[in-house]
mmCIF file with all atom_site columns, all heavy atoms in Angstrom:
data_model
loop_
_atom_site.group_PDB
_atom_site.id
_atom_site.type_symbol
_atom_site.label_atom_id
_atom_site.label_alt_id
_atom_site.label_comp_id
_atom_site.label_asym_id
_atom_site.label_entity_id
_atom_site.label_seq_id
_atom_site.pdbx_PDB_ins_code
_atom_site.Cartn_x
_atom_site.Cartn_y
_atom_site.Cartn_z
_atom_site.occupancy
_atom_site.B_iso_or_equiv
_atom_site.pdbx_formal_charge
_atom_site.auth_seq_id
_atom_site.auth_comp_id
_atom_site.auth_asym_id
_atom_site.auth_atom_id
_atom_site.pdbx_PDB_model_num
ATOM   1  N  N   . ARG W 1 99  ? 40.940 14.118 -16.258 1.00 88.00 ? 99  ARG W N   1
ATOM   2  C  CA  . ARG W 1 99  ? 40.879 13.019 -17.182 1.00 88.00 ? 99  ARG W CA  1
ATOM   3  C  C   . ARG W 1 99  ? 39.548 12.198 -17.027 1.00 88.00 ? 99  ARG W C   1
ATOM   4  O  O   . ARG W 1 99  ? 39.054 11.679 -17.987 1.00 88.00 ? 99  ARG W O   1
ATOM   5  C  CB  . ARG W 1 99  ? 42.099 12.097 -17.007 1.00 88.00 ? 99  ARG W CB  1
ATOM   6  C  CG  . ARG W 1 99  ? 42.267 11.087 -18.051 1.00 88.00 ? 99  ARG W CG  1
ATOM   7  C  CD  . ARG W 1 99  ? 42.084 11.585 -19.472 1.00 88.00 ? 99  ARG W CD  1
ATOM   8  N  NE  . ARG W 1 99  ? 43.252 12.203 -20.045 1.00 88.00 ? 99  ARG W NE  1
ATOM   9  C  CZ  . ARG W 1 99  ? 43.215 13.109 -21.035 1.00 88.00 ? 99  ARG W CZ  1
ATOM   10 N  NH1 . ARG W 1 99  ? 42.063 13.487 -21.533 1.00 88.00 ? 99  ARG W NH1 1
ATOM   11 N  NH2 . ARG W 1 99  ? 44.324 13.598 -21.536 1.00 88.00 ? 99  ARG W NH2 1
ATOM   12 N  N   . LEU W 1 130 ? 50.428 10.419 -13.125 1.00 93.00 ? 130 LEU W N   1
ATOM   13 C  CA  . LEU W 1 130 ? 51.109 11.681 -13.299 1.00 93.00 ? 130 LEU W CA  1
ATOM   14 C  C   . LEU W 1 130 ? 50.958 12.551 -12.057 1.00 93.00 ? 130 LEU W C   1
ATOM   15 O  O   . LEU W 1 130 ? 51.891 13.205 -11.613 1.00 93.00 ? 130 LEU W O   1
ATOM   16 C  CB  . LEU W 1 130 ? 50.536 12.389 -14.536 1.00 93.00 ? 130 LEU W CB  1
ATOM   17 C  CG  . LEU W 1 130 ? 51.362 13.603 -15.038 1.00 93.00 ? 130 LEU W CG  1
ATOM   18 C  CD1 . LEU W 1 130 ? 52.729 13.162 -15.549 1.00 93.00 ? 130 LEU W CD1 1
ATOM   19 C  CD2 . LEU W 1 130 ? 50.627 14.330 -16.129 1.00 93.00 ? 130 LEU W CD2 1
ATOM   20 N  N   . CYS W 1 147 ? 54.255 18.014 -18.846 1.00 87.00 ? 147 CYS W N   1
ATOM   21 C  CA  . CYS W 1 147 ? 53.835 17.747 -20.237 1.00 87.00 ? 147 CYS W CA  1
ATOM   22 C  C   . CYS W 1 147 ? 54.925 16.930 -20.962 1.00 87.00 ? 147 CYS W C   1
ATOM   23 O  O   . CYS W 1 147 ? 54.574 16.138 -21.863 1.00 87.00 ? 147 CYS W O   1
ATOM   24 C  CB  . CYS W 1 147 ? 53.573 19.043 -20.988 1.00 87.00 ? 147 CYS W CB  1
ATOM   25 S  SG  . CYS W 1 147 ? 52.103 19.920 -20.360 1.00 87.00 ? 147 CYS W SG  1
ATOM   26 N  N   . CYS W 1 150 ? 54.385 13.378 -19.774 1.00 91.00 ? 150 CYS W N   1
ATOM   27 C  CA  . CYS W 1 150 ? 53.057 12.969 -20.165 1.00 91.00 ? 150 CYS W CA  1
ATOM   28 C  C   . CYS W 1 150 ? 53.022 12.660 -21.675 1.00 91.00 ? 150 CYS W C   1
ATOM   29 O  O   . CYS W 1 150 ? 52.528 11.605 -22.102 1.00 91.00 ? 150 CYS W O   1
ATOM   30 C  CB  . CYS W 1 150 ? 52.063 14.084 -19.825 1.00 91.00 ? 150 CYS W CB  1
ATOM   31 S  SG  . CYS W 1 150 ? 50.371 13.681 -20.165 1.00 91.00 ? 150 CYS W SG  1
ATOM   32 N  N   . ARG W 1 154 ? 52.489 8.953  -23.036 1.00 93.00 ? 154 ARG W N   1
ATOM   33 C  CA  . ARG W 1 154 ? 51.221 8.702  -23.721 1.00 93.00 ? 154 ARG W CA  1
ATOM   34 C  C   . ARG W 1 154 ? 51.469 8.070  -25.094 1.00 93.00 ? 154 ARG W C   1
ATOM   35 O  O   . ARG W 1 154 ? 50.768 7.156  -25.513 1.00 93.00 ? 154 ARG W O   1
ATOM   36 C  CB  . ARG W 1 154 ? 50.467 10.010 -23.864 1.00 93.00 ? 154 ARG W CB  1
ATOM   37 C  CG  . ARG W 1 154 ? 48.959 9.804  -23.745 1.00 93.00 ? 154 ARG W CG  1
ATOM   38 C  CD  . ARG W 1 154 ? 48.200 11.070 -23.694 1.00 93.00 ? 154 ARG W CD  1
ATOM   39 N  NE  . ARG W 1 154 ? 48.821 12.098 -24.485 1.00 93.00 ? 154 ARG W NE  1
ATOM   40 C  CZ  . ARG W 1 154 ? 48.752 13.403 -24.187 1.00 93.00 ? 154 ARG W CZ  1
ATOM   41 N  NH1 . ARG W 1 154 ? 48.138 13.799 -23.099 1.00 93.00 ? 154 ARG W NH1 1
ATOM   42 N  NH2 . ARG W 1 154 ? 49.293 14.296 -24.975 1.00 93.00 ? 154 ARG W NH2 1
ATOM   43 N  N   . CYS W 1 237 ? 43.642 21.170 -18.811 1.00 87.00 ? 237 CYS W N   1
ATOM   44 C  CA  . CYS W 1 237 ? 44.401 20.309 -17.874 1.00 87.00 ? 237 CYS W CA  1
ATOM   45 C  C   . CYS W 1 237 ? 45.082 21.196 -16.836 1.00 87.00 ? 237 CYS W C   1
ATOM   46 O  O   . CYS W 1 237 ? 45.680 22.230 -17.182 1.00 87.00 ? 237 CYS W O   1
ATOM   47 C  CB  . CYS W 1 237 ? 45.448 19.510 -18.645 1.00 87.00 ? 237 CYS W CB  1
ATOM   48 S  SG  . CYS W 1 237 ? 46.606 18.623 -17.571 1.00 87.00 ? 237 CYS W SG  1
ATOM   49 N  N   . ASN W 1 239 ? 47.764 20.815 -15.412 1.00 84.00 ? 239 ASN W N   1
ATOM   50 C  CA  . ASN W 1 239 ? 49.223 20.841 -15.548 1.00 84.00 ? 239 ASN W CA  1
ATOM   51 C  C   . ASN W 1 239 ? 49.690 21.603 -16.799 1.00 84.00 ? 239 ASN W C   1
ATOM   52 O  O   . ASN W 1 239 ? 50.868 21.707 -17.047 1.00 84.00 ? 239 ASN W O   1
ATOM   53 C  CB  . ASN W 1 239 ? 49.779 19.428 -15.685 1.00 84.00 ? 239 ASN W CB  1
ATOM   54 C  CG  . ASN W 1 239 ? 49.481 18.583 -14.453 1.00 84.00 ? 239 ASN W CG  1
ATOM   55 O  OD1 . ASN W 1 239 ? 49.552 19.081 -13.362 1.00 84.00 ? 239 ASN W OD1 1
ATOM   56 N  ND2 . ASN W 1 239 ? 49.051 17.357 -14.672 1.00 84.00 ? 239 ASN W ND2 1
ATOM   57 N  N   . ALA W 1 240 ? 48.707 22.112 -17.575 1.00 81.00 ? 240 ALA W N   1
ATOM   58 C  CA  . ALA W 1 240 ? 49.089 22.745 -18.843 1.00 81.00 ? 240 ALA W CA  1
ATOM   59 C  C   . ALA W 1 240 ? 50.076 23.861 -18.585 1.00 81.00 ? 240 ALA W C   1
ATOM   60 O  O   . ALA W 1 240 ? 49.890 24.703 -17.705 1.00 81.00 ? 240 ALA W O   1
ATOM   61 C  CB  . ALA W 1 240 ? 47.839 23.287 -19.534 1.00 81.00 ? 240 ALA W CB  1
HETATM 62 FE FE1 . SF4 X 2 .   ? 49.517 15.864 -20.279 1.00 81.88 ? 401 SF4 X FE1 1
HETATM 63 FE FE2 . SF4 X 2 .   ? 50.395 18.379 -20.337 1.00 81.88 ? 401 SF4 X FE2 1
HETATM 64 FE FE3 . SF4 X 2 .   ? 48.336 17.631 -21.895 1.00 81.88 ? 401 SF4 X FE3 1
HETATM 65 FE FE4 . SF4 X 2 .   ? 48.012 17.827 -19.239 1.00 81.88 ? 401 SF4 X FE4 1
HETATM 66 S  S1  . SF4 X 2 .   ? 48.457 19.508 -20.690 1.00 81.88 ? 401 SF4 X S1  1
HETATM 67 S  S2  . SF4 X 2 .   ? 47.304 16.127 -20.571 1.00 81.88 ? 401 SF4 X S2  1
HETATM 68 S  S3  . SF4 X 2 .   ? 49.997 17.141 -18.503 1.00 81.88 ? 401 SF4 X S3  1
HETATM 69 S  S4  . SF4 X 2 .   ? 50.469 16.895 -22.013 1.00 81.88 ? 401 SF4 X S4  1
#
Side-chain angles (χ1 to χ4, degrees):
R99 190 47 83 204
L130 193 65
C147 293
C150 183
R154 214 171 36 211
C237 171
N239 300 319

